[in-house]
Amino acid sequence: MLRLDCLRSVYAELENCLVVTIMGAVAAELHSLGHRPNFFYLQHAMGLASSTGLGLALCLPEQQVIVFDGDGSLLMNLGGLSTMARYRPKNLVHVVFDNESLLSVGGFPTATSTGTDLEGIARAAGVPRVATVRSVESFKVAVNEAAHGSELTTIIAKVEATGPAGYVTDLSLLENRFQFRRHIRSLQKR
Amino acid sequence: MVFVSRRDLKQNMPVSLTNSKLIFDALKECDIHLVSALPETWLVHLVRLTDEDPEMILVRLAKEEEGVGISAGAHFAGVKSAMLMQNHGFLASINGIVSFAHLYKIPLLMLISYRGSLGERDPWQTQGGNVTEPLLRALGIPHLFLDAVETVKKRIRQAQTLAESSLQPVALLLTRDLMWEE
């Protein structure tokens, strides 16, 4: 299963969500499908995309928030999983693309390649709904169900360790950040 | 033999409730509605006051660096926030501060209990005390002390104003003189 195909399968649904991604391939691939002002790509600070999504979801309970996380990033902030589970905002969907690899630095294997079970960790942390998916169709169904459901959900999507040729996009970090903030402000004025 | 519950022990610690309330009220006057916290002794009243206030969202963290992400999310949502942490929590947050708050110009109001400074009795706090101010300077983080009742309200207002106008982290160091009553 390719991450890009997963992202493509839910791209239309993302229009009405606030989307936070991690750095590297996830950011570059979502951007390649067409940037939108409701997408924020956290191009560093590994581990904090999920915390950012949690902050957004707690402050904007009427907005659906989706975080596209990765195995390497989540492993850097496993404690954050327990914080997410503690407050379990029902408007937060936490997707983890697990390619068992730190792809953008050369493909070094992460601990999920040797048996660490992120679904099990999320469940044991207290996340009320968890799932592992291995096909694009089941990914699409799981994300849509979670986005229309009423419980915090962590979805582990097992994907291949392949990505784009480069990771730098033509969207500057600050441009992205101010556009994202402005987009949320425009939603609040409606 | 008299057994003292852990809860009682906490209440008997000479952390200033009056000054914690002063700080908390000043945060509220700055229109802060979200506080992330990882408790430590000096912060117990502040965490409890936040928890008991229905207008506040309290996010109890597993590690302080998460608070950078939480505050960034709050900022994007238009909610003013503050972070409560010990100086060792500040040390644990530095990557998030540099590669999120500085990189993306995110305002952070960090209230840092300044353990390990003069008067510290706990040996394990002392090394962190030595490096707190040099690190704040090295990171270019504007900071002031909260060390006197008369200036608490004003300094919190000033720190919050600068964080919002400059879109950067600003720190207030909570001192023993303010937080500890003995």
Side-chain angles (χ1 to χ4, degrees):
Chain A
M1 177 164 72
L2 294 178
R3 182 181 42 244
L4 183 60
D5 292 335
C6 292
L7 288 168
R8 191 180 284 119
S9 76
V10 295
Y11 181 78
E13 299 289 326
L14 300 182
E15 188 165 5
N16 298 316
C17 303
L18 298 175
V19 180
V20 179
T21 81
I22 57 163
M23 67 190 302
V26 180
E29 288 184 348
L30 181 61
H31 185 271
S32 75
L33 294 172
H35 174 64
R36 287 175 174 155
N38 54 316
F39 297 170
F40 175 68
Y41 316 96
L42 180 54
Q43 297 283 16
H44 213 316
M46 282 180 72
L48 295 189
S50 54
S51 305
T52 307
L54 176 60
L56 276 168
L58 291 174
C59 290
L60 298 171
E62 304 304 318
Q63 279 292 320
Q64 184 62 52
V65 178
I66 296 190
V67 172
F68 289 115
D69 211 339
D71 53 311
S73 286
L74 182 56
L75 287 167
M76 285 197 196
N77 188 12
L78 287 177
L81 207 49
S82 69
T83 308
M84 252 177 33
R86 185 171 198 164
Y87 297 97
R88 56 185 69 186
K90 61 185 183 186
N91 57 327
L92 180 59
V93 180
H94 178 223
V95 176
V96 185
F97 287 117
D98 181 5
N99 60 9
E100 304 183 357
S101 165
L102 290 164
L103 182 68
S104 64
V105 293
F108 296 95
T110 65
T112 62
S113 73
T114 56
T116 295
D117 169 13
L118 291 176
E119 181 191 334
I121 291 173
R123 181 182 293 110
V127 176
R129 271 173 65 99
V130 293
T132 296
V133 294
R134 298 171 192 278
S135 73
V136 175
E137 189 49 40
S138 56
F139 176 85
K140 185 178 178 179
V141 170
V143 171
N144 284 339
E145 277 182 7
H148 295 108
S150 56
E151 282 184 307
L152 168 69
T153 307
T154 293
I155 299 163
I156 312 296
K158 298 294 271 187
V159 294
E160 289 174 37
T162 56
Y167 302 111
V168 178
T169 69
D170 65 356
L171 182 67
S172 90
L173 277 56
L174 289 179
E175 183 182 2
N176 179 211
R177 167 253 192 274
F178 285 112
Q179 187 185 50
F180 187 65
R181 167 75 192 106
R182 211 167 278 132
H183 171 75
I184 294 172
R185 199 179 289 150
S186 76
L187 296 175
Q188 292 168 321
K189 280 180 186 159
R190 273 180 209 164
Chain B
M1 184 182 281
V2 178
F3 289 96
V4 181
S5 80
R6 296 178 74 173
R7 196 176 182 86
D8 288 339
L9 273 175
K10 226 187 253 175
Q11 284 170 351
N12 289 336
M13 281 188 186
V15 182
S16 173
L17 176 58
T18 311
N19 293 346
S20 298
K21 183 81 167 60
L22 186 66
I23 293 167
F24 181 72
D25 289 345
L27 291 173
K28 288 209 71 171
E29 281 182 34
C30 289
D31 204 26
I32 282 161
H33 285 288
L34 184 146
V35 172
S36 72
L38 206 146
E40 75 118 11
T41 310
W42 291 10
L43 301 175
V44 289
H45 296 311
L46 272 168
V47 173
R48 186 180 46 77
L49 288 164
T50 308
D51 196 24
E52 289 171 356
D53 190 319
E55 291 179 350
M56 284 282 194
I57 300 170
L58 171 67
V59 184
R60 296 176 190 265
L61 307 172
K63 196 165 185 177
E64 293 85 348
E65 190 187 15
E66 294 169 53
V68 177
I70 301 280
S71 276
H75 172 70
F76 291 144
V79 172
K80 294 190 174 75
S81 70
M83 302 163 74
L84 297 178
M85 64 180 91
Q86 194 190 76
N87 43 355
H88 293 82
F90 161 64
L91 303 187
S93 305
I94 285 178
N95 181 54
I97 290 168
V98 173
S99 64
F100 196 167
H102 281 159
L103 188 63
Y104 280 95
K105 294 188 77 69
I106 305 294
L108 300 179
L109 178 60
M110 301 189 293
L111 276 71
I112 302 170
S113 60
Y114 194 5
R115 301 299 305 271
S117 186
L118 275 69
E120 181 66 59
R121 287 183 183 144
D122 294 342
W124 47 87
Q125 303 289 9
T126 55
Q127 195 58 37
N130 285 348
V131 300
T132 301
E133 288 179 80
L135 278 170
L136 284 166
R137 280 195 294 274
L139 292 166
I141 296 175
H143 56 281
L144 280 178
F145 292 99
L146 286 191
D147 52 6
V149 169
E150 312 79 60
T151 51
V152 164
K153 197 169 150 182
K154 190 175 178 184
R155 286 190 174 175
I156 288 177
R157 164 65 69 186
Q158 288 173 335
Q160 209 276 329
T161 301
L162 181 64
E164 287 288 327
S165 65
S166 63
L167 299 173
Q168 68 178 331
V170 174
L172 289 168
L173 292 167
L174 312 185
T175 60
R176 182 174 304 275
D177 286 347
L178 190 72
M179 303 308 291
W180 203 243
E181 286 177 340
E182 63 171 11

